[in-house]
Amino acid sequence: MTVRLSDEHAGWLAELAGCYDLVWATTWEEHANRYIGPLLGLPEPSGLPQGSPAATSTDS
């Protein structure tokens, strides 16, 4: 599997992590912490399990 990551996006996410709690909202679930987060130098965020009410909510 090929995953393309951007150093520029890593900087943006790191800046956001200083103000907000980052969460993964992806089908990768907790695997994003193992494979993507370290490559971007991000702290380990929480994840929203696929199909959870928060992940599937359509409320605005």
Side-chain angles (χ1 to χ4, degrees):
M1 173 185 301
T2 301
V3 177
R4 298 181 190 270
L5 303 172
S6 168
D7 289 336
E8 187 173 16
H9 293 161
W12 295 343
L13 291 168
E15 186 176 335
L16 287 170
C19 300
Y20 302 97
D21 292 328
L22 300 180
V23 298
W24 296 115
T26 174
T27 58
W28 281 63
E29 297 181 344
E30 73 279 354
H31 301 291
N33 288 333
R34 183 181 314 145
Y35 297 108
I36 298 175
L39 291 173
L40 297 177
L42 297 174
E44 186 171 313
S46 301
L48 293 177
Q50 184 70 11
S52 73
T56 58
S57 176
T58 58
D59 295 338
S60 302

